[in-house]
Structures are given as structure tokens and as C-alpha cells.
Amino acid sequence: MFDAAVDQAAGLRRLFRTERSRLIPAGCLVPETQARVFIGQMAAAAGPEDARMRVVDRKALHQWLRHTHAGEADVPGEEELLFWLDDPVEMARWVHAQAGDRLLLILSHRRDAMMAQYAKIKHIAATTGIRRFGVLFVDVEQVDRGRENFLNLAGCARRFLSVQLDVVVGSCRDETGLRTWSGLSLAELAQFQWSSWSGAGMPALEENGFSGGVAH
């Protein structure tokens, strides 16, 4: 499943071409600057005509919510995909309050990061009941090593937490650029999208100490 040939640009175009803006909450366990670079690479892979992907923070979402009625908010703009980067535990609480059952995580494939990332997934599963996670690895340099570390993490999560982890896409510093690692494709990021959302469970601005990363 890791070696399937996938047209990355076509997948991104399908992802972008929606009738309205979409929000993807992404719990970030790497430095925020690193995550932003990775998302920028994804946008560039789609081509200039399709690259309408941008990162938003908690403050921007609060501003949109304040200007809506009955607590519901639609993100302005057409065919725009917004990545909300935030603390994964706070974000999981919001997803749970929205009656969601899955969460996208931005992770490192590094072995020394795995234990802290596993502990965070365990905490989210125990406190929210979320059992499915899509994974974006931002720092894979060798496909084989990234695959091995992912399988170790996914195996422990499945065995001890009854949690499903799926790699959506991993970075790779070779001629293929972005590489899909599993049956999920970039187009299936839609499974983690929200076309509308409410303020229920939204973390308060004063709690926004998110800077990304995990302790090593």
C-alpha cells in the first residue's frame, strides 16, 4: 500500500474544488513554523491556479464566530481550504463538541518524538473518545524509515488504545516530493473537513499558548 503510484497534483485539485470554503482542524505536534512550511508545499503541489490553502489560528476563528448569528459561522471566500493549527488536546475537545469522531494530526516521524506523540494520542482517546486519526508527517527524509516508525506507532495505538491511525500524506525529500503512504489519498482529507461549525467546545483565546511541538 505504501508504493502505490498517486497523482498528487490531481488529488489536491479534487480536494480544493469544493463549492464553499472548508475547515480542517489539525492538531499540531511539531513546531508551528515547520507545519506551515509543509502545508505550503502541499499548496504548491496543487499548482498556482488551485493553491487556495492557508493556515488560520484560534483568534481568526473567534473573530468569524463573533460576526455570525446563532453561533454558526461560514468561512468567507470561495474554494478555499483552511488549516486550523492548534493544540491537539484543545482541538480534540472542539471536534468532540461538534459530534466529530476523527481528527487530523501533524506529527514528526522521528523516533525520539514517538513516545510523546503516543502519550498525546492516548490522552485524547481517553478524554474524548476519538478513535480515528489521520496523520501528516512533515519531516520524512527516507520513505522506508518513515514507514517503519509509522507502523510501530500505529501498531501500539491499535493494540493498546483501540485507535486507528492512517497516513494521509508524508513529506519526502526525493524526486517524488509529497508521497501518499496508504490507501488514503490527498482527496480523502475531505473526511476531516468541516463546511460549518459552531463555537461549542472552542478553546478560549486566553488559553491559546499553542506554539507547536512536543517535548523530547
Side-chain angles (χ1 to χ4, degrees):
M1 66 179 176
F2 282 89
D3 298 321
V6 177
D7 184 344
Q8 299 291 338
L12 278 166
R13 291 190 188 99
R14 289 193 296 270
L15 179 63
F16 280 119
R17 286 174 181 169
T18 58
E19 295 180 356
R20 62 190 304 177
S21 298
R22 302 297 177 98
L23 176 72
I24 295 183
C28 192
L29 284 166
V30 300
E32 184 177 354
T33 53
Q34 189 177 26
R36 286 177 177 269
V37 169
F38 178 76
I39 294 170
Q41 292 172 343
M42 291 177 63
E49 71 279 9
D50 298 303
R52 297 190 179 117
M53 181 187 293
R54 64 187 175 97
V55 177
V56 297
D57 59 16
R58 193 184 302 178
K59 181 178 180 181
L61 295 183
H62 274 272
Q63 290 173 340
W64 287 324
L65 287 169
R66 282 201 302 268
H67 291 88
T68 59
H69 300 288
E72 294 295 329
D74 289 332
V75 177
E78 295 183 359
E79 295 184 1
E80 189 172 46
L81 184 64
L82 306 180
F83 267 79
W84 168 26
L85 299 182
D86 211 319
D87 174 80
V89 174
E90 295 288 352
M91 185 169 286
R93 292 172 181 161
W94 177 83
V95 169
H96 181 66
Q98 305 296 311
D101 63 353
R102 63 197 64 183
L103 177 63
L104 192 69
L105 296 176
I106 300 180
L107 304 182
S108 169
H109 90 293
R110 288 167 41 200
R111 191 179 298 275
D112 61 355
M114 287 297 173
M115 188 172 272
Q117 292 176 157
Y118 175 85
K120 194 73 70 172
I121 292 169
K122 179 179 180 179
H123 179 71
I124 291 172
T127 56
T128 68
I130 293 175
R131 286 290 188 274
R132 183 181 177 192
F133 297 88
V135 175
L136 299 177
F137 281 127
V138 301
D139 56 1
V140 175
E141 297 180 1
Q142 296 179 354
V143 171
D144 289 344
R145 180 173 297 177
R147 175 172 52 194
E148 177 185 357
N149 291 345
F150 165 73
L151 289 175
N152 289 337
L153 177 65
C156 288
R158 181 176 60 252
R159 179 179 179 184
F160 299 110
L161 307 178
S162 298
V163 162
Q164 177 183 346
L165 299 184
D166 293 299
V167 173
V168 176
V169 68
S171 63
C172 191
R173 295 179 185 175
D174 61 18
E175 69 280 0
T176 63
L178 298 175
R179 178 177 299 207
T180 298
W181 276 6
S182 74
L184 286 178
S185 70
L186 289 171
E188 289 177 283
L189 274 175
Q191 297 180 26
F192 300 91
Q193 292 180 8
W194 295 82
S195 59
S196 63
W197 55 91
S198 76
M202 179 71 70
L205 284 175
E206 57 265 26
E207 298 172 358
N208 192 8
F210 168 72
S211 59
V214 295
H216 303 308

